[in-house]
Amino acid sequence: MQIQGAVVVGLGGPSPAPELIWGAREATALHRPLHLIRAYNASLAVLPWDTYLDREFAVDLRRAAEDQLRAALQYVNLHWPDLGAEGTVVEGFAAEVLGKASRDAHLTVLGSRRLGPVGSAVLGSVSAVVAATAAGPVVLVGSPPADPAQPAQVVVGVDGSKSMDDVLDFAFGYADRHQRPLHAIFCWSPDLLASMQWRPEPPPPERADRWLAEALAGWQQKYPEVQVHRGVVRASPVAGLVAESTAQELLVVGGHSQHARISALLGSVSQGVLHHATCPVAVVHPRATGWTVM
């Protein structure tokens, strides 16, 4: 697959799926090629030994995957003819195929079918697995993309982790390309006594606000056209980010783990917002060799 530097879209639902539209728009904005991948795997539905029916079943699965890819390419070429989109049908487990593709992709875009926290954990949602293990940024789109003409913000969670620069690079780059304001959020949880109902709610600490301003200062200089709002929110990271991103264009968070075992990831902020956010979510994993946003 020739996907080096491309925006890769993993096909799941029928075209035009929300992730397909989002990926095509972003590839256009980035001036990057668009590559569609449709993975299929028959190994879990056939017998360990070869039979005629299993061979026919595998042929039917591939044919259905090819038909879906063809329909998606036709849709993209009709609405974005200058992209010259390409696609590939790959036999294999979708999470493994797309996780491997993320190593070379500039950006990986997937659909989110809203299985819920329990269903996603039990069933091993492809989107949840790829978002947790990808080698680069992943965007999960669960609903039709917002109208580009409508005002909306890019919300980014700032937490001081090692991946913070990659997260802010992605968020500021996206906001700059799409001429969107950026809302940077730092979530803090006071101690138990401070949260008692009989005590007045304390204001956000001035030190947290100063730290957030300092963390954003260099990025505001790099992207002077981006209108930046910052806020210190008294809430857990998942609850705070989900609430602040409601009806917004994109929520950007860091990916702090690349463990394949979903059981080890259920408590992470990125997995939490994936299950509850109502707007597209970008999970940004830093690349070993680094990457830049055009």
Side-chain angles (χ1 to χ4, degrees):
M1 293 183 291
Q2 299 299 319
I3 60 174
Q4 186 71 42
V7 173
V8 170
V9 176
L11 297 178
S15 296
E19 60 268 24
L20 178 62
I21 300 173
W22 200 99
R25 287 181 181 175
E26 193 60 15
T28 301
L30 285 165
H31 305 289
R32 295 268 180 179
L34 180 69
H35 196 100
L36 313 182
I37 296 179
R38 177 63 169 91
Y40 75 99
N41 188 282
S43 64
L44 297 180
V46 299
L47 295 172
W49 52 89
D50 188 38
T51 69
Y52 171 77
L53 290 178
D54 287 348
R55 289 195 298 271
E56 290 297 308
F57 180 67
V59 169
D60 289 343
L61 276 181
R62 183 171 185 88
R63 185 180 296 116
E66 291 172 344
D67 289 344
Q68 185 179 1
L69 176 61
R70 188 179 303 109
L73 287 172
Q74 288 176 348
Y75 180 85
V76 171
N77 291 330
L78 176 63
H79 292 85
W80 296 274
D82 294 337
L83 274 179
E86 297 180 347
T88 308
V89 171
V90 182
E91 183 178 6
F93 292 102
E96 294 180 2
V97 171
L98 294 168
K100 182 178 181 180
S102 72
R103 302 173 191 171
D104 296 320
H106 181 79
L107 174 66
T108 305
V109 184
L110 303 173
S112 175
R113 303 298 176 239
R114 301 293 174 206
L115 292 176
V118 176
S120 181
V122 173
L123 297 178
S125 154
V126 171
S127 299
V129 174
V130 177
T133 61
V138 179
V139 175
L140 283 84
V141 184
S143 58
D147 185 346
Q150 296 299 319
Q153 297 184 115
V154 177
V155 178
V156 57
V158 185
D159 60 2
S161 65
K162 293 181 180 179
S163 64
M164 187 175 71
D165 283 346
D166 297 282
V167 173
L168 290 174
D169 192 14
F170 186 97
F172 270 90
Y174 183 94
D176 187 58
R177 285 193 303 279
H178 297 277
Q179 299 180 334
R180 298 298 197 192
L182 182 77
H183 192 188
I185 300 296
F186 173 70
C187 297
W188 70 287
S189 298
D191 59 47
L192 181 61
L193 288 178
S195 62
M196 291 295 185
Q197 293 183 356
W198 51 268
R199 298 190 61 178
E201 182 173 316
E206 293 183 4
R207 182 176 181 181
D209 186 66
R210 288 198 306 270
W211 173 85
L212 183 58
E214 292 171 358
L216 298 173
W219 295 101
Q220 290 179 269
Q221 293 177 1
K222 183 177 180 179
Y223 294 94
E225 300 299 320
V226 176
Q227 183 181 5
V228 179
H229 308 282
R230 68 177 189 269
V232 178
V233 177
R234 184 175 178 269
S236 67
V238 172
L241 292 172
V242 168
E244 294 292 330
S245 63
T246 300
Q248 302 304 329
E249 179 159 332
L250 182 69
L251 170 61
V252 185
V253 296
H256 302 308
S257 176
Q258 293 189 351
H259 297 292
R261 295 181 59 187
I262 294 302
S263 59
L265 300 170
L266 292 177
S268 73
V269 172
S270 59
Q271 291 290 316
V273 299
L274 289 182
H275 297 313
H276 301 290
T278 57
C279 69
V281 178
V283 180
V284 181
H285 295 276
R287 297 186 185 278
T289 56
W291 63 283
T292 57
V293 176
M294 292 180 63

